[in-house]
Amino acid sequence: MQQASRVERFAMFCVARRVAVVAIILALTAVFGFFAVQVEIKTIFHDLLPKGHPYIDINDKYNERFGGPNIVSIMVEAENGDIFQPEVLERIKKITDDLYLVPAINQYQVISLASRKLRSITSSTAGIETKPMMWPDLPTSQAEIDQLREDVLANPLVYGRYVSPDLRSALVTADFIDRLMDYGKLYAGITEIAEKYDGNGVHVRVVGEPLLTGWVVYYLPETFHLFLITIAIMAVLLFVTVRTWRGVLLPMLAGLVSAIWALGIARLFHVNFDPLIIVIAFLVTARAISHAVQMLAAFDDELERGHAPREAAPKALVALFRPGMLGVVVDAVAVAIVAAMPMPLLQKTAFVGAVWLGTIAVSAMVLVPTLLSWVSKPHARAFPFDTNRWLLRPVLNLCGTVVIGRRSVAVLVIALAILGGSGYYATHVTVGDALPGTPLLWPDHPYNVDAKAINDTFQGSDQMFVVIEGAEPNSLKDPELLTNVDNFQRYLETQPQIGGTVSMVDLIGPINANLHEGNRRFEDLGHTADINGELLFMYLTGTDPGDMDRFMDTDFKDGSVTMFFRDHKGDTIRTAMSRIEEYVENNPLPGDSHYRLAGGLVGVLAAVNEEVFARQVESIALALLTLFVLSAIAYRSTIAGLFYMPLVVMSNTITFAFMAWKGIGMNINTLPVAALGIGLGVDYAFYIVDGVKERFKETGDVVASIRGSLLTAGRGVLITGGTMIASVLVWYASSLKFQAEMGLLMALWLTVSAITSLLLIPAMIYVFRPRFVFGDGATKPGHPAVTA
């Protein structure tokens, strides 16, 4: 009673000092608004990486030498004939030259037929000679073109890797420096090159993580338009169902105030806003609108009881204080738990999301009821058609009929069957990407079409490197070490996930063969370190500084084995990594030399997937524990803590089963939405349960209390659930597949949450008669009260 008394005093204070309360909230909103407009919307690559993971440490240490995760691959394809035509070779050279002008380019990692790094090996009486294949000048005669073709076919470092086996395509790769990248400028620069040289018998295709992020930035204006359209649809649907201007304006105001406060605080803490978490922003804004609609429903209920607006407003606040604040806190903590992930993006998302949800306590739970106290025409309606009478009430009455009597047991049995089935299929959700290509874009998007074409033609556009850390300088010349590396590459190339490999071993064999008049039987390693050193020295003769960086350092201590993957699906990466780890464990390098895993895009994604896999169950468990503890405290009952678990578990199992069915992987982008779903699945239930609890105190009738709660709190659930479900489906029109899928997930979550709150929760209340709802007053034969 003491706690309720404090809430009542607080509610009366807000109404008695309503001018001051509203003025303070609006003043703070203006201050936060000043900072909110300065929030940066950008992607920071290192925010995606799990801090402290050994793969990330290796990637950061060696990526500028061996090739990082920001490699862009450009395929130049001849539509007729092969690439050995003057006009096609000229395109390859111009593309290569133009890449050096793109901002943040790593000029030592631009590789193509027209770069210095791809070299032909020839032998004569004068010795071994290595020279760039097509640098600095293009071949000027047919004889020179024919010689270039022969050089390509004779070089395993080029043929199949940078020129396709059918000779119709050539590959140009370029790496970019993480810390210097501006994705908008990079996207503009790369696409300008591709468009400039595409056409007239040549087709240019481009893929790469920097370009992918550039596409997301490119669609940012469309994302904002979808956001505004969604809000507009919500406003229209609220107006139709509530039939009052306050029923539209106040929920929208609550959402706006929460957004401004959260973005302002984010700016004060120097938190940038990643384009991919805009979906989270909408979801949180929708929660603010939902809580405000519940407050309006409670206010209208008090008006029907004969109270004036100035009396109805504080009563509504008191009635909804516990379920509303409990819902806000559970939501905020569930999102905050995501901060346990070591990826800065998730930590920032957790911070912004938790703050944003926390602001609902002010915008929806304080500002809205305070403003409602000023309503001058409480019973006025904007149009005569009574949607409550002809639409909402019949649905809610039907729900009340279904959950009363023997039908309530049927509801529980059906729910149990759905829980079991969805729980089974939920175990099939993939950690990481579930399908080839990128899940951010649609399968028929030019990026995914280009990715498939490049991966079908070459060994793979996704790279990973494993570092060979030698014990001392010249360790890489050791025959035993090189034989181990050679066996490692042969083993890797038998794996279906890996299209090919390359290392310094691939440099030595061709030199040795050339010393024996090009006889491929002598394409082998030297028997001593000195011989290997001499063979490498012959290759290095005539090269420029940095040409060999992708293979080894200058003192032959550290080198790399680079692998090419045709996709980066979660299963592909896990299988490949397990086999690599198995080889490394069973075949250690001699002495104190070691293999170090892993860098490049696939290495980075392996680290991310490992963290998501290790922490996703932990995060969900912590969120459920939070729900249990907070519910038990709020209702002073351990049974209350357990009561909401079936609803939340069912909401999540159905969603994960849907993800498995649709091929939506659990990754760094989908994880925050999954975490927020814990709270999203239980908000509505709090209002239904509290509505039953309060009405039972007045009537002492179980059936009347359940029906009464459904007609008031259930009305709010039906309005907000239906409104948001219809609104978020607009996101399916997005050019970003990720946003479309998240729209479907949100719609599914809201649907399951609304249905379980309107059917499962009332049925559980009727069947089990929990004491935290009814006390001892609802105990009847056949329906014993559950004790805490």
Side-chain angles (χ1 to χ4, degrees):
M1 293 299 294
Q2 186 178 3
Q3 185 179 4
S5 176
R6 289 177 180 175
V7 173
E8 287 179 354
R9 288 200 298 269
F10 173 73
M12 294 305 297
F13 172 82
C14 289
V15 173
R17 301 287 187 271
R18 56 188 180 178
V19 174
V21 170
V22 172
I24 291 171
I25 293 175
L26 294 182
L28 288 172
T29 303
V31 172
F32 287 130
F34 172 78
F35 293 102
V37 296
Q38 303 176 44
V39 167
E40 291 184 284
I41 300 178
K42 64 178 183 179
T43 296
I44 299 175
F45 179 75
H46 268 274
D47 282 357
L48 307 174
L49 310 182
K51 295 183 295 185
H53 194 286
Y55 297 174
I56 303 304
D57 293 340
I58 290 296
N59 179 77
D60 291 345
K61 183 177 179 180
Y62 293 102
N63 64 12
E64 291 187 18
R65 180 186 303 168
F66 298 142
N70 293 304
I71 292 176
V72 169
S73 299
I74 303 176
M75 184 172 81
V76 182
E77 181 182 16
E79 294 181 358
N80 298 298
D82 59 28
I83 65 168
F84 297 102
Q85 308 172 51
E87 58 274 16
V88 179
L89 296 175
E90 184 181 12
R91 301 277 184 99
I92 296 171
K93 177 172 173 53
K94 287 182 175 180
I95 289 172
T96 304
D97 292 342
D98 286 359
L99 279 171
Y100 287 106
L101 304 178
V102 177
I105 191 75
N106 182 344
Q107 298 197 5
Y108 292 107
Q109 293 291 343
V110 178
I111 306 172
S112 78
L113 276 179
S115 72
R116 294 180 304 182
K117 297 189 181 297
L118 296 187
R119 312 177 75 84
S120 62
I121 306 170
T122 58
S123 60
S124 66
T125 56
I128 298 294
E129 181 184 10
T130 65
K131 62 180 181 180
M133 288 194 161
M134 203 175 74
W135 181 91
D137 300 315
L138 290 167
T140 56
S141 65
Q142 186 60 45
E144 291 180 350
I145 291 178
D146 292 340
Q147 183 60 53
L148 175 62
R149 180 189 288 110
E150 293 301 319
D151 290 343
V152 167
L153 292 171
N155 193 330
L157 291 175
V158 179
Y159 181 60
R161 290 194 173 102
Y162 288 93
V163 176
S164 62
D166 61 5
L167 304 182
R168 295 187 64 245
S169 304
L171 198 64
V172 181
T173 63
D175 196 9
F176 292 86
I177 300 172
D178 299 349
R179 64 182 185 278
L180 302 179
M181 283 195 303
D182 181 316
Y183 289 103
K185 293 180 180 178
L186 192 152
Y187 169 83
I190 296 293
T191 53
E192 181 182 354
I193 291 172
E195 291 170 359
K196 182 179 179 181
Y197 298 111
D198 185 72
N200 297 323
V202 174
H203 194 33
V204 179
R205 302 179 185 273
V206 189
V207 296
E209 284 300 301
L211 189 72
L212 176 59
T213 304
W215 274 113
V216 174
V217 175
Y218 173 81
Y219 287 123
L220 199 55
E222 178 193 280
T223 299
F224 282 122
H225 292 154
L226 285 175
F227 189 94
L228 294 176
I229 292 171
T230 305
I231 296 297
I233 292 174
M234 290 182 67
V236 171
L237 292 176
L238 283 175
F239 183 70
V240 170
T241 52
V242 180
R243 296 194 302 146
T244 63
W245 289 109
R246 66 175 181 266
V248 177
L249 297 178
L250 291 183
M252 293 299 162
L253 178 63
L256 179 63
V257 169
S258 286
I260 292 173
W261 280 41
L263 294 176
I265 293 172
R267 176 58 182 166
L268 287 172
F269 283 87
H270 304 288
V271 175
N272 64 289
F273 207 72
D274 191 280
L276 287 177
I277 67 173
I278 290 177
V279 176
I280 302 294
F282 171 76
L283 193 52
V284 177
T285 301
R287 302 317 300 149
I289 293 173
S290 176
H291 284 283
V293 170
Q294 287 289 350
M295 188 65 69
L296 284 159
F299 176 76
D300 289 341
D301 184 43
E302 295 298 334
L303 292 178
E304 290 181 6
R305 297 184 182 193
H307 295 112
R310 189 153 182 166
E311 297 172 340
K315 286 183 177 294
L317 194 160
V318 171
L320 297 189
F321 187 83
R322 177 169 54 197
M325 292 302 294
L326 183 57
V328 168
V329 173
V330 168
D331 273 342
V333 175
V335 173
I337 287 171
V338 176
M341 292 280 187
M343 287 80 94
L345 173 63
L346 294 183
Q347 292 170 347
K348 291 178 180 181
T349 303
F351 172 78
V352 174
V355 170
W356 204 321
L357 287 161
T359 61
I360 296 175
V362 176
S363 64
M365 304 304 297
V366 175
L367 179 61
V368 169
T370 303
L371 290 174
L372 283 172
S373 67
W374 268 302
V375 171
S376 58
K377 298 179 180 180
H379 300 289
R381 294 292 181 264
F383 57 90
F385 182 76
D386 192 347
T387 50
N388 183 52
R389 178 182 178 184
W390 299 107
L391 179 62
L392 302 180
R393 188 179 290 271
V395 173
L396 296 171
N397 282 331
L398 177 62
C399 292
T401 301
V402 169
V403 300
I404 301 298
R406 294 180 179 179
R407 288 178 290 271
S408 61
V409 177
V411 170
L412 298 185
V413 172
I414 293 171
L416 188 61
I418 293 174
L419 179 61
S422 62
Y424 170 76
Y425 284 105
T427 60
H428 292 78
V429 69
T430 300
V431 176
D433 295 343
L435 300 172
T438 173
L440 299 182
L441 300 170
W442 294 100
D444 60 352
H445 189 277
Y447 182 93
N448 277 327
V449 172
D450 287 356
K452 184 179 187 305
I454 292 175
N455 287 318
D456 287 346
T457 305
F458 291 95
Q459 294 176 335
S461 60
D462 299 329
Q463 298 184 19
M464 182 179 81
F465 64 81
V466 173
V467 176
I468 310 160
E469 285 192 347
E472 57 187 8
N474 295 312
S475 291
L476 297 184
K477 299 176 183 178
D478 179 15
E480 186 180 353
L481 181 146
L482 291 174
T483 300
N484 188 302
V485 174
D486 188 27
N487 292 335
F488 183 35
Q489 289 183 247
R490 295 174 190 273
Y491 170 77
L492 292 174
E493 289 174 359
T494 64
Q495 310 304 321
Q497 298 81 15
I498 297 174
T501 66
V502 65
S503 79
M504 62 176 293
V505 169
D506 298 294
L507 305 178
I508 298 174
I511 295 290
N512 205 359
N514 269 275
L515 287 175
H516 295 82
E517 300 179 348
N519 191 329
R520 298 295 294 271
R521 291 193 302 169
F522 291 93
E523 199 170 275
D524 205 353
L525 299 170
H527 299 299
T528 68
D530 289 339
I531 293 175
N532 288 322
E534 288 297 325
L535 293 172
L536 286 169
F537 177 77
M538 291 178 187
Y539 189 92
L540 292 172
T541 301
T543 62
D544 294 314
D547 281 1
M548 294 296 103
D549 280 356
R550 61 195 175 109
F551 299 112
M552 58 200 168
D553 59 12
T554 55
D555 58 3
F556 300 97
K557 177 180 179 294
D558 299 329
S560 71
V561 177
T562 300
M563 288 144 265
F564 302 91
F565 290 73
R566 291 192 171 94
D567 67 66
H568 49 253
K569 295 190 297 182
D571 291 342
T572 296
I573 294 176
R574 271 190 302 278
T575 302
M577 295 304 294
S578 66
R579 290 174 177 171
I580 291 170
E581 290 170 351
E582 181 182 4
Y583 180 91
V584 169
E585 182 179 353
N586 296 332
N587 301 274
L589 291 173
D592 292 327
S593 300
H594 302 281
Y595 288 113
R596 300 293 186 195
L597 279 60
L601 175 63
V602 176
V604 164
L605 291 177
V608 172
N609 291 350
E610 283 186 10
E611 291 295 338
V612 171
F613 181 77
R615 304 291 181 91
Q616 67 165 333
V617 175
E618 175 185 327
S619 297
I620 293 173
L622 283 174
L624 291 174
L625 178 62
T626 299
L627 171 62
F628 170 79
V629 171
L630 293 176
S631 300
I633 292 173
Y635 293 100
R636 300 180 183 180
S637 167
T638 55
I639 293 300
L642 296 171
F643 189 78
Y644 299 101
M645 291 295 175
L647 180 149
V648 177
V649 173
M650 179 181 292
S651 177
N652 281 270
T653 56
I654 291 175
T655 304
F656 290 154
F658 177 80
M659 290 174 67
W661 174 52
K662 294 293 290 183
I664 303 173
M666 181 66 73
N667 54 41
I668 191 172
N669 299 315
T670 58
L671 191 64
V673 181
L676 191 56
I678 297 289
L680 189 65
V682 75
D683 278 3
Y684 296 151
F686 290 145
Y687 287 112
I688 296 293
V689 170
D690 250 65
V692 175
K693 183 179 177 69
E694 296 304 315
R695 275 162 180 74
F696 186 77
K697 289 180 181 178
E698 299 172 2
T699 65
D701 188 319
V702 172
V703 173
S705 299
I706 293 174
R707 288 187 177 275
S709 180
L710 286 172
L711 290 174
T712 52
R715 177 171 170 266
V717 170
L718 203 56
I719 291 173
T720 57
T723 298
M724 285 192 287
I725 290 166
S727 301
V728 297
L729 289 177
V730 173
W731 288 83
Y732 202 72
S734 175
S735 298
L736 293 173
K737 179 172 177 263
F738 166 75
Q739 289 183 348
E741 290 177 337
M742 292 306 99
L744 283 180
L745 280 184
M746 287 189 288
L748 178 63
W749 242 311
L750 290 163
T751 301
V752 174
S753 300
I755 292 174
T756 51
S757 297
L758 294 174
L759 295 177
L760 177 58
I761 289 297
M764 290 173 63
I765 291 174
Y766 182 83
V767 171
F768 298 114
R769 311 294 172 96
R771 181 176 291 177
F772 78 91
V773 177
F774 298 118
D776 295 323
T779 303
K780 293 182 179 180
H783 294 291
V786 180
T787 58

